[in-house]
Amino acid sequence: MGLKNLKVNYKINIISIITIILLAIVTAVLYNGMSKINNSYENSSLISDLAINITKTSEQGLQVSNALRGIIINPSDTKAKDNFIQAVKELDDLILVLKDSSKNFQGFEKFEIASLYASQIEVLNKIVEKLKNNETLTKEDNSLSTKEWRPLKAALLKWQERNYERNREIRSEFNDTISTTTSFIVTILGITILSILIIIQLISRNIVTSLNIFQSGLLSFFAFSNKESTKVELINLNSTDEFGTMTKVINQNIVKTQDLITQDNALIEDV
């Protein structure tokens, strides 16, 4: 069905329908883009929190090593012993926090933190046991603890580097999402405005053309019916809209009027 066969109100409604459709597309794209941006922000926040905990764990591991050396240097320092025991407990708590992060991130398993810490805590627990039994620690205890700490520290460092890398990737994805979403929205809005202008022009031209044809035919009919003209033609407007309906009515009246006038003229000539 062509544009000229649509009702005038349908033609006008086309503008609203196309506008609604295009704005719905813009809304959907904007919603999707905002969801991606929100996910990127949440992931970045989680990774940042994880990075802080990894840093705390590394620092706490160093704190344990320093406390252990302090005990070996001064075996009679009771406070140093308490500090060491407390430092081991805090390290264990931080490792549990990192383990819990495996629900969102795979670094805990990927970098084998569990197995490395198992070896480390086994040594530390033996040292704590010695302290509780008032046994004297030796340099061998410190060496063994350091030996187990180094691979754990290296694994934590690799995990941290991977977090920094992932955060850079998220920031890049974040910027790409904003750029893509903005470009798409601007494009859709441009298409929307251009489409509306084109449709308005087409509909306006169609209505004006139909109106001009109808007006010309109607004036010709009035001139004929008022005997200002001896010739009248049917309105040539083939459409099914309001103008087409009125044209059919006018054309029917043109035929009837033409027949009546012809009959009147014939009667006058006979008289």
Side-chain angles (χ1 to χ4, degrees):
M1 181 180 290
L3 185 62
K4 66 179 183 178
N5 293 325
L6 292 175
K7 301 294 183 182
V8 174
N9 62 326
Y10 290 165
K11 294 174 184 176
I12 296 174
N13 287 337
I14 286 175
I15 300 174
S16 300
I17 292 171
I18 291 179
T19 302
I20 291 172
I21 291 174
L22 292 176
L23 289 179
I25 293 174
V26 170
T27 303
V29 172
L30 183 60
Y31 177 79
N32 184 58
M34 291 302 296
S35 296
K36 289 183 178 179
I37 291 172
N38 184 58
N39 289 336
S40 297
Y41 175 77
E42 290 180 354
N43 288 334
S44 180
S45 298
L46 289 173
I47 290 176
S48 297
D49 292 341
L50 176 61
I52 292 173
N53 288 326
I54 292 175
T55 300
K56 287 181 178 179
T57 303
S58 297
E59 292 174 350
Q60 192 61 34
L62 292 175
Q63 183 68 25
V64 170
S65 297
N66 292 334
L68 180 58
R69 283 194 291 270
I71 295 173
I72 293 174
I73 293 173
N74 188 3
S76 61
D77 189 346
T78 304
K79 185 176 181 181
K81 295 178 181 179
D82 292 338
N83 289 339
F84 174 78
I85 293 173
Q86 181 63 28
V88 170
K89 182 180 181 304
E90 291 177 2
L91 177 62
D92 194 57
D93 291 340
L94 287 169
I95 291 294
L96 289 177
V97 172
L98 294 182
K99 183 178 180 181
D100 189 58
S101 71
S102 61
K103 296 176 183 177
N104 297 314
F105 307 100
Q106 303 302 317
F108 193 82
E109 290 83 5
K110 180 179 180 181
F111 297 102
E112 300 178 349
I113 304 299
S115 58
L116 292 173
Y117 181 67
S119 300
Q120 169 76 3
I121 195 62
E122 183 180 357
V123 172
L124 294 177
N125 285 336
K126 288 180 179 178
I127 295 174
V128 169
E129 193 65 27
K130 280 187 176 182
L131 293 176
K132 290 181 178 179
N133 294 331
N134 293 322
E135 298 180 24
T136 303
L137 301 183
T138 63
K139 292 183 178 180
E140 184 179 354
D141 292 318
N142 182 54
S143 299
L144 188 58
S145 175
T146 302
K147 179 182 176 182
E148 298 296 339
W149 165 245
R150 284 174 181 170
L152 177 59
K153 180 182 177 182
L156 290 172
L157 180 59
K158 289 181 180 179
W159 191 4
Q160 189 74 300
E161 290 174 350
R162 175 53 189 153
N163 285 333
Y164 292 146
E165 181 182 346
R166 180 56 186 150
N167 243 339
R168 287 192 294 270
E169 292 172 356
I170 289 176
R171 284 196 296 270
S172 177
E173 293 171 359
F174 179 83
N175 292 331
D176 290 343
T177 299
I178 292 178
S179 177
T180 302
T181 302
T182 302
S183 299
F184 189 86
I185 290 174
V186 170
T187 301
I188 291 295
L189 288 176
I191 292 173
T192 301
I193 294 172
L194 183 61
S195 299
I196 291 173
L197 291 176
I198 291 174
I199 292 170
I200 289 174
Q201 287 296 321
L202 290 175
I203 292 175
S204 298
R205 185 178 300 176
N206 178 263
I207 292 174
V208 169
T209 300
S210 297
L211 188 59
N212 288 336
I213 293 173
F214 183 79
Q215 182 183 21
S216 177
L218 189 61
L219 292 175
S220 175
F221 169 65
F222 287 152
F224 177 74
S225 62
N226 293 328
K227 297 184 180 181
E228 296 173 2
S229 172
T230 59
K231 184 179 179 183
V232 63
E233 295 181 356
L234 297 178
I235 301 174
N236 186 20
L237 184 59
N238 297 320
S239 66
T240 57
D241 59 5
E242 288 84 350
F243 292 107
T245 301
M246 289 187 293
T247 296
K248 289 179 182 179
V249 174
I250 297 298
N251 283 339
Q252 290 172 359
N253 282 276
I254 288 175
V255 173
K256 291 179 181 178
T257 302
Q258 190 175 24
D259 290 341
L260 290 173
I261 291 176
T262 300
Q263 291 173 11
D264 288 345
N265 290 337
L267 179 61
I268 292 171
E269 288 178 3
D270 290 341
V271 173

